[in-house]
Amino acid sequence: MTKFKRISVLLFVFAMLLQTAPAVFAKKSSALTPAVVAKIRKEAMENSQIMNTLHMYTDVYGPRLTGSPNLEAAGKWSMKQMKEWGFDRVEMEPWDFGSPGWANQRAIGSIVSPMNDVLDFEVLAWTPGTNGIVTAEAVALDTPRIQNGDNPKCLRSPTRAELDAYLASIAGKVRGGIVLAGSPRSLGVNFNPPAKRLSDEVIAARRRGGPRRRPTPPANNRPKCPKPEVATLSGRQIFVRMNQFLSQNKPAVRINDSRMRHGTIRAFGNRRADPATTPPTVVMRNEDYGRVWRLLKGGHNVKLEFYIKNTYYPKGATSYNTIGEIAGRGKTKDEVIMMGGHLDSWHSATGATDNGIGCAIMMEAGRILKAIGVKPKRTIRIALWSGEEQGLLGSRAYVAKHFGTAENPKPAYKKFGGYFNVDSGTGMVRGWSVFGPDAAGKILNDALAGPFKDVRFEGANNTTSRRLGGSDHTSFNQAGLPGIGALQDPIEYFTTTWHTNLDTYERIVEDDVKATAALVAAGVYELAMRDELLPRFSKTEMPRAPAPRGR
């Protein structure tokens, strides 16, 4: 073949390649090959460590309230475990929580008259304990409701003078007594329990941004009542005045109604960590609260007994985010792909679904990638946050320190490639929502929807909201960075385990969380290995930042 003919043949082959280039590049647009997916799924299902990680977070270190010794110990164990798995760097990065840590060591309560029985309750966080065992008369603190008009069913809220007169009349009983703060909630029976799985139709509607279906409200059978002729107090004003009254008159113990069915209790935290501003406070299961209330209203003298031991930890004013890294190996090693969840929990249980399992999933995803020998182009970073339950404080501090915002970026801002977050319990992730333009969601959708269709993963789409709230991915969204939030099957999350005394290891669906760990590992692999970072909004396209939110 002559030199001229060889050149002609080469030109012809080059022309054919140009014509077929779109198809070739479409096939190679995803870094996630079938062989890699197979390795990830095999490791996730056959060699999983996820339930042992959850066991450590819950049975050994739970609960993990922000600022508590348990949370710090869980972070230290996580670092040790990541090192054993071969992570390249681990650290606990401090941030200013500003309040002391707190933990409950012991809490016992019972009715001692007119009968003997044990009471079921949880202690409100950041409230003081009792001075040893306290025994006192129970007092019902009931907001007065005044008849408004001729119909006895028409009741109005009190005026300030009416409320103050009522409080003055019971101040002597409240001081040193054990106070039930407000009437019990009447819950009845739920004849329409919510589904534990989401249908494909519901998932599709939510991915399109359609409205969520809400139950039809019951018919309003309230009587038509006249407008009060006096200036009555709002619910908020009554709440504030009641708290002031109890702070001034110092009962031995304050009891709040859990307002939930079947012995379920949610106990959050006192708004102020200063023990001088609030009495020892517990949240009692609705069934016990209602019983004591009915006894009091029935004319019985009820005597209760409590012993509560709580401890404040001044060192907890400095909290920590636990960080682990698998170092990038390519020219883009200074670019970062992140995944994480919040390690802190509320204190009524051991924090399994909220959010020990989210952290265990991310730890497992990192372990899977190390186990199959991935050498990522970009650095893969795991973050186990603290302070999420108090307002996403740990992740907000981290984003501000390391990345800044779209309006005021730091050098690392442009090298950030996405943050995966799981924080809605044990249910399988059915979809991802990526902050960014349409193309950002499409990249993850195209890479993951096919390989994980058999575990009911429906795909990914984009969001343009920079509103803070929900979970830690929105700390990234608010900054204009690609936070990636999960849409999950609810299982029993908001109905049963979220922030309650039932949030334990037993509530985890093992097959779901193993599959989710594989899905996360695959998504992180895709973003760590593809040629380009996820597309971002340009400066002119970036949605407007929301107004700053205080702590």
Side-chain angles (χ1 to χ4, degrees):
M1 185 183 292
T2 65
K3 181 178 179 181
F4 177 79
K5 286 184 177 180
R6 286 198 301 271
I7 292 172
S8 297
V9 170
L10 289 172
L11 289 173
F12 176 78
V13 171
F14 182 67
M16 292 298 99
L17 286 173
L18 285 178
Q19 290 180 28
T20 60
V24 171
F25 287 122
K27 291 178 182 177
K28 294 186 177 181
S29 61
S30 173
L32 193 65
T33 65
V36 172
V37 172
K39 285 182 181 180
I40 288 173
R41 295 188 65 161
K42 179 179 174 65
E43 182 65 29
M45 303 311 291
E46 296 182 8
N47 300 313
S48 177
Q49 296 294 309
I50 196 167
M51 297 306 287
N52 182 66
T53 300
L54 180 70
H55 157 67
M56 296 300 293
Y57 286 154
T58 56
D59 300 332
V60 178
Y61 297 116
R64 305 171 306 277
L65 195 65
T66 298
S68 70
N70 275 14
L71 178 60
E72 185 173 351
K76 289 179 178 177
W77 177 84
S78 301
M79 289 197 300
K80 177 177 177 290
Q81 187 62 80
M82 285 188 280
K83 271 294 187 185
E84 290 179 5
W85 287 339
F87 281 54
D88 299 296
R89 183 180 74 88
V90 296
E91 69 169 334
M92 292 181 72
E93 183 175 297
W95 60 275
D96 181 22
F97 180 41
S99 296
W102 179 94
N104 167 248
Q105 274 81 42
R106 195 173 181 191
I108 302 170
S110 59
I111 304 174
V112 295
S113 177
M115 75 289 292
N116 289 284
D117 206 352
V118 176
L119 297 168
D120 194 356
F121 63 91
E122 299 292 338
V123 180
L124 194 71
W126 287 287
T127 57
T130 58
N131 185 16
I133 298 173
V134 296
T135 306
E137 297 288 338
V139 181
L141 182 58
D142 196 9
T143 304
R145 302 282 291 173
I146 293 90
Q147 184 171 327
N148 181 38
D150 297 330
N151 189 336
K153 293 183 178 181
C154 288
L155 301 175
R156 62 168 175 82
S157 297
T159 65
R160 178 60 184 260
E162 289 166 341
L163 179 59
D164 285 347
Y166 166 71
L167 295 176
S169 72
I170 63 168
K173 294 181 180 179
V174 166
R175 199 173 296 112
I178 296 176
V179 174
L180 280 72
S183 58
R185 185 175 187 179
S186 179
L187 293 164
V189 174
N190 183 4
F191 288 98
N192 298 291
K196 290 179 170 57
R197 299 283 189 191
L198 297 175
S199 69
D200 294 347
E201 292 76 18
V202 168
I203 293 291
R206 291 191 185 180
R207 289 186 61 221
R208 289 195 303 268
R212 298 191 179 195
R213 237 182 234 176
R214 299 187 181 277
T216 304
N220 187 355
N221 295 319
R222 293 179 182 176
K224 292 184 178 181
C225 298
K227 185 177 179 180
E229 297 179 355
V230 292
T232 60
L233 297 175
S234 67
R236 175 64 183 168
Q237 289 171 322
I238 293 170
F239 176 79
V240 170
R241 180 67 188 102
M242 290 288 198
N243 285 341
Q244 290 172 345
F245 171 76
L246 292 175
S247 180
Q248 293 162 356
N249 289 277
K250 299 189 183 308
V253 177
R254 170 177 174 163
I255 306 175
N256 296 334
D257 176 19
S258 74
R259 302 172 67 81
M260 300 185 75
R261 294 182 177 90
H262 305 148
T264 308
I265 301 171
R266 282 194 182 114
F268 294 106
N270 186 39
R271 291 175 180 270
R272 298 180 181 178
D274 182 3
T277 64
T278 187
T281 303
V282 303
V283 181
M284 187 174 290
R285 71 171 182 170
N286 177 260
E287 294 83 354
D288 284 350
Y289 192 96
R291 178 188 188 185
V292 176
W293 187 273
R294 290 187 296 272
L295 286 169
L296 291 171
K297 293 298 181 179
H300 298 276
N301 292 322
V302 181
K303 190 171 286 187
L304 306 179
E305 187 172 273
F306 282 88
Y307 172 55
I308 302 167
K309 183 180 179 182
N310 300 328
T311 301
Y312 290 82
Y313 298 96
K315 286 176 59 179
T318 298
S319 195
Y320 299 88
N321 296 319
T322 303
I323 308 297
E325 277 191 357
I326 302 172
R329 304 298 199 273
K331 294 179 181 179
T332 53
K333 63 183 179 182
D334 56 344
E335 296 177 347
V336 175
I337 309 301
M338 291 187 68
M339 54 180 162
H342 69 89
L343 190 54
D344 65 299
S345 74
W346 284 110
H347 56 292
S348 296
T350 55
T353 67
D354 190 19
N355 186 34
I357 195 57
C359 293
I361 285 168
M362 299 309 174
M363 290 279 284
E364 178 70 0
R367 186 200 67 79
I368 290 168
L369 294 174
K370 287 298 297 183
I372 68 173
V374 171
K375 293 179 171 52
K377 294 179 180 180
R378 300 179 178 88
T379 292
I380 296 170
R381 185 178 298 163
I382 291 179
L384 309 178
W385 310 112
S386 56
E388 191 272 353
E389 297 293 7
Q390 289 73 45
L392 318 182
L393 301 183
S395 58
R396 288 165 63 188
Y398 186 89
V399 170
K401 176 180 177 180
H402 291 275
F403 302 115
T405 66
E407 292 74 25
N408 188 22
K410 297 196 172 183
Y413 187 90
K414 65 181 180 180
K415 297 182 179 182
F416 180 78
Y419 165 75
F420 290 86
N421 190 81
V422 170
D423 183 23
S424 290
T426 186
M428 178 64 198
V429 170
R430 305 290 302 283
W432 293 116
S433 179
V434 188
F435 178 79
D438 290 347
K442 188 175 188 307
I443 286 167
L444 276 182
N445 186 78
D446 292 350
L448 300 174
F452 290 93
K453 183 69 174 176
D454 63 312
V455 290
R456 303 182 71 218
F457 177 73
E458 296 296 328
N461 58 281
N462 74 306
T463 178
T464 61
S465 173
R466 292 178 69 180
R467 185 173 60 85
L468 190 72
S471 193
D472 292 294
H473 60 287
T474 64
S475 295
F476 293 84
N477 296 2
Q478 186 184 56
L481 294 165
I484 304 169
L487 172 59
Q488 295 175 248
D489 276 331
I491 308 299
E492 300 167 333
Y493 186 62
F494 287 111
T495 58
T496 305
T497 64
W498 178 68
H499 298 165
T500 77
N501 57 324
L502 304 181
D503 188 8
T504 63
Y505 180 99
E506 288 76 12
R507 304 283 71 81
I508 300 304
V509 180
E510 186 172 348
D511 287 346
D512 276 30
V513 299
K514 284 180 177 179
T516 294
L519 175 68
V520 172
V524 170
Y525 180 92
E526 169 69 15
L527 298 192
M529 300 297 283
R530 67 189 309 272
D531 292 336
E532 304 291 338
L533 290 172
L534 281 176
R536 303 259 200 99
F537 288 116
S538 68
K539 188 174 181 179
T540 56
E541 294 171 332
M542 179 64 69
R544 181 177 297 179
R549 174 178 169 180
R551 278 182 51 174

